[in-house]
Amino acid sequence: MPAQSVEVAGEVTHPDEVSRAHHALRRAIMRGELRAGDRLSQVELARQLGVSRGPLREALRILQREGFVQQESQHRARVTAFSDEDLDELYAMRISLEALAIGIAVPRMDEDHFQRLDQLLQDMDEKARTGDVEQWECPHEQFHRTLVHPSGPRLEREIALLSDHATRYRLSFVSWNPLQWQADTSAQHHTIAEAAKSGDASAAARALATHLGRTALVVLSIASPTYEPVRIRRALAAACGQ
């Protein structure tokens, strides 16, 4: 069935145009091409994306609901700014939810699932060796989502959104020697996968929580070295049974 046009604020918009504008803007925000705090000109963005103002406004509304854009007035919006408190809360939520999700997911995994994890680990290692940072991000994202896939659709949706916000922070602040970053995290990813493949849900949850906690603390050490991440430390202690 073809997508149906809808009327937004008196202007007819097509879902394909809304989706295209949303995807392009979200990607630009995630990659830092649209930076935290940047003012968004609807006129300029519509011109760059080749869409009319109606689809663009709807795309911005979706991004606002997702937390990537803050609306200042009817015609003015900005890319959501970074903050220490937000980063602390964000990673604490990731640690808590992903530890819960992988604990649920591990007993439901089968051989196909384990083969998928192995293939994604191999893809990540290959991309790290070639130095293609952007290409490494794709299997890395899929690896984390595959770990929690059997946990349930609502958990998966919440985790995916939190993960995207975390990636935005990580890509913005961890710009030093990205190949070294990949090498440092490779062993952690393999440890998580091995725990899952062994059927030890508790070990997998601890390994994933520890990995996310280390990532969060690295990002914070760069973004705000003096900030004390109380939420992250509490989430880690709870997830690791401390």
Side-chain angles (χ1 to χ4, degrees), residues 123-124 127 130 132-140 182:
D123 291 347
M124 289 161 64
K127 295 299 188 295
T130 63
D132 194 330
V133 177
E134 185 172 334
Q135 288 298 313
W136 179 84
E137 285 293 338
C138 183
H140 176 244
Q182 293 162 358

Side-chain angles (χ1 to χ4, degrees), residues 160-208:
L161 182 58
L162 292 171
S163 177
D164 284 348
H165 279 283
T167 297
R168 179 175 170 240
Y169 273 95
R170 179 169 53 80
L171 293 180
S172 294
F173 289 103
V174 186
S175 56
W176 48 270
N177 198 352
L179 295 182
Q180 185 60 47
W181 170 268
Q182 293 162 358
D184 290 346
T185 58
S186 176
Q188 298 170 31
H189 291 131
H190 281 272
T191 297
I192 299 165
E194 288 305 315
K197 289 161 64 178
S198 73
D200 191 334
S202 296
R206 289 193 299 271
L208 179 55

Side-chain angles (χ1 to χ4, degrees), residues 74-85:
Q74 184 177 356
H75 300 292
R76 292 172 56 187
R78 289 184 185 272
V79 178
T80 301
F82 291 135
S83 78
D84 300 340
E85 292 281 331

Side-chain angles (χ1 to χ4, degrees), residues 96-106 147-148 150-151 155-156 159:
S96 300
L97 280 183
E98 292 191 40
L100 168 65
I102 197 172
I104 296 168
V106 166
L147 287 171
V148 301
S151 64
L155 270 172
E156 286 188 74
I159 288 169

Side-chain angles (χ1 to χ4, degrees), residues 32-221:
E33 296 163 6
L34 291 172
R35 296 173 299 177
D38 278 356
R39 179 174 293 176
L40 301 173
S41 165
Q42 291 189 20
V43 173
E44 182 61 22
L45 289 175
R47 185 190 65 78
Q48 291 177 358
L49 297 173
V51 299
S52 58
R53 297 279 292 280
L56 178 66
R57 282 195 293 269
E58 185 59 24
L60 289 173
R61 289 189 187 99
I62 295 170
L63 290 166
Q64 183 182 3
R65 290 196 295 270
E66 293 175 336
F68 291 103
V69 165
Q70 292 178 322
Q71 196 74 30
E72 296 182 331
S73 68
Q74 184 177 356
H75 300 292
R76 292 172 56 187
R78 289 184 185 272
V79 178
T80 301
F82 291 135
S83 78
D84 300 340
E85 292 281 331
D86 180 59
L87 179 56
D88 190 14
E89 185 177 2
L90 168 61
Y91 267 100
M93 291 175 68
R94 276 198 76 186
I95 290 165
S96 300
L97 280 183
E98 292 191 40
L100 168 65
I102 197 172
I104 296 168
V106 166
R108 303 179 180 184
M109 293 181 181
D110 56 23
E111 191 57 36
D112 288 342
H113 208 105
F114 299 142
Q115 289 179 5
R116 174 65 172 158
L117 288 174
D118 286 340
Q119 182 60 58
L120 289 167
L121 286 170
Q122 182 178 332
D123 291 347
M124 289 161 64
D125 290 342
E126 288 177 356
K127 295 299 188 295
R129 284 193 292 270
T130 63
D132 194 330
V133 177
E134 185 172 334
Q135 288 298 313
W136 179 84
E137 285 293 338
C138 183
H140 176 244
E141 173 189 319
Q142 289 302 313
F143 175 78
H144 276 274
R145 296 192 181 182
T146 301
L147 287 171
V148 301
H149 174 60
S151 64
R154 185 177 290 275
L155 270 172
E156 286 188 74
R157 286 195 300 272
E158 292 301 319
I159 288 169
L161 182 58
L162 292 171
S163 177
D164 284 348
H165 279 283
T167 297
R168 179 175 170 240
Y169 273 95
R170 179 169 53 80
L171 293 180
S172 294
F173 289 103
V174 186
S175 56
W176 48 270
N177 198 352
L179 295 182
Q180 185 60 47
W181 170 268
Q182 293 162 358
D184 290 346
T185 58
S186 176
Q188 298 170 31
H189 291 131
H190 281 272
T191 297
I192 299 165
E194 288 305 315
K197 289 161 64 178
S198 73
D200 191 334
S202 296
R206 289 193 299 271
L208 179 55
T210 300
H211 165 63
L212 293 173
R214 286 174 177 169
T215 300
L217 294 176
V218 168
V219 176
L220 264 172
S221 72

Side-chain angles (χ1 to χ4, degrees), residues 216-231:
L217 294 176
V218 168
V219 176
L220 264 172
S221 72
I222 299 167
S224 185
T226 61
Y227 180 81
E228 176 54 34
V230 175
R231 297 175 183 86

